[in-house]
Amino acid sequence: MVRTIIQYPTPLSVEYATDVRVFDTELFSLIEDLKDTMNENHLDGLAAYQIGSYFNVVVIKDNDAFIEIINPRLIGHSGSVEGEETTAYYPNKSANIKRFESVSIVYQDRNGEDQTLKASDDLAILLQRKIDYTFGATFVHKMSKVEKERFEKGIAQKSSATLETQTQGDYCPRTFKRDKILLVSNLLTVLIALLFVSSFFIQNSASLWNFQVYSALAVVGLDIFYFFYAQYEGKKYVSCDSCQLGNIIGTVTVSLFRLCVIMLLSYYFIG
């Protein structure tokens, strides 16, 4: 099935993709959707993030043959090359980007078997571009500070002019009110981590543990509120393709996982 490719100003997704753990028909269907979307749009590569999926999956073409790349990891690189790149996320936009000339990656195929791939030149650049998306990034993140400011200023001006003729439900904003909820949750998590580190320098750390417990409960409460409010807020924008349940679940999962790791360590050492 041909899927809609996310384009600016719709936000890409959460911080990074979720690794595939179950190799089932849902995964195979996603891969086929990626292939159909690539063929329909005449693309050489596509990451699952680009069609609104939070799975760590990339499909590329090499000599017209599809390569299905699941859970990719960059393990080696050499050389550097600079060239003009385009991306489906910013239609009709291009930029000069510096990349590795050759790369080596490890990944899994659709059967869950480990694979390796060494690539150079155009194929290496394509791999790097698509893997960037698994971290919620585009080529903007590869630009120098000056180039990035100039590029973002240009697209922001164009976007502002377009939005003057649109209603709220016809576009997806770059920032949301829910981001503030997530910010508070993240700050509390950082505070809990700092208290854990401080416990190694304080003899009576029982009071620190109690404060960590209350703070952790606050983080859980904020994450639950974020989960439901994010869905409510996303429904207000009809073209907000990436404001979907999967992305919201991914964000909350990452937050709660970090909290669990810190609290388990705190319980073991100071609880």
Side-chain angles (χ1 to χ4, degrees), residues 235-254:
K235 291 177 181 177
K236 297 191 320 185
Y237 304 96
V238 297
S239 65
C240 193
D241 295 331
S242 71
C243 300
Q244 57 177 319
L245 181 60
N247 294 331
I248 298 168
I249 292 175
T251 300
V252 174
T253 300
V254 170

Side-chain angles (χ1 to χ4, degrees), residues 4-180:
T4 300
I5 298 176
I6 296 172
Q7 295 181 343
Y8 178 86
T10 301
L12 271 173
S13 206
V14 293
E15 294 177 359
Y16 48 83
T18 301
D19 279 350
V20 174
R21 298 302 183 192
V22 179
F23 296 75
D24 57 6
T25 54
E26 181 183 358
L27 171 65
F28 304 152
S29 178
L30 171 62
I31 292 174
E32 295 308 312
D33 287 352
L34 287 168
K35 293 178 181 179
D36 291 342
T37 306
M38 288 170 61
N39 287 331
E40 178 69 19
N41 293 276
H42 308 290
L43 300 175
D44 292 326
L46 198 63
Y49 254 32
Q50 293 181 264
I51 59 172
S53 170
Y54 56 93
F55 283 128
N56 190 0
V57 178
V58 169
V59 175
I60 63 171
K61 273 186 180 180
D62 183 24
N63 295 324
D64 293 327
F66 287 107
I67 303 178
E68 302 168 359
I69 301 173
I70 303 167
N71 304 331
R73 298 288 188 272
L74 183 66
I75 60 171
H77 56 79
S78 62
S80 63
V81 62
E82 185 172 343
E84 187 176 33
E85 294 184 11
T86 59
T87 174
Y89 184 61
Y90 295 107
N92 304 317
K93 294 287 185 180
S94 63
N96 288 321
I97 305 298
K98 190 174 182 179
R99 300 278 188 183
F100 298 123
E101 188 175 11
S102 300
V103 297
S104 299
I105 68 170
V106 293
Y107 66 97
Q108 294 171 290
D109 59 24
R110 65 163 56 206
N111 298 314
E113 300 293 332
D114 293 333
Q115 304 290 341
T116 61
L117 176 62
K118 294 183 178 180
S120 58
D121 301 324
D122 290 343
L123 182 58
I125 293 172
L126 178 61
L127 281 169
Q128 293 172 78
R129 288 173 49 207
K130 297 301 114 178
I131 291 176
D132 280 351
Y133 277 108
T134 67
F135 293 94
T138 66
F139 63 20
V140 173
H141 296 78
K142 300 294 182 180
M143 297 179 182
S144 66
K145 183 178 180 180
V146 174
E147 290 175 333
K148 183 178 180 180
E149 290 177 351
R150 184 185 301 116
F151 185 87
E152 291 184 336
K153 181 179 180 181
I155 60 175
Q157 290 175 342
K158 182 178 179 180
S159 178
S160 296
T162 303
L163 294 183
E164 289 180 357
T165 61
Q166 294 179 321
T167 62
Q168 186 186 50
D170 294 329
Y171 74 97
C172 185
R174 297 186 66 189
T175 59
F176 296 88
K177 292 180 180 180
R178 66 175 183 248
D179 295 336
K180 296 179 181 179

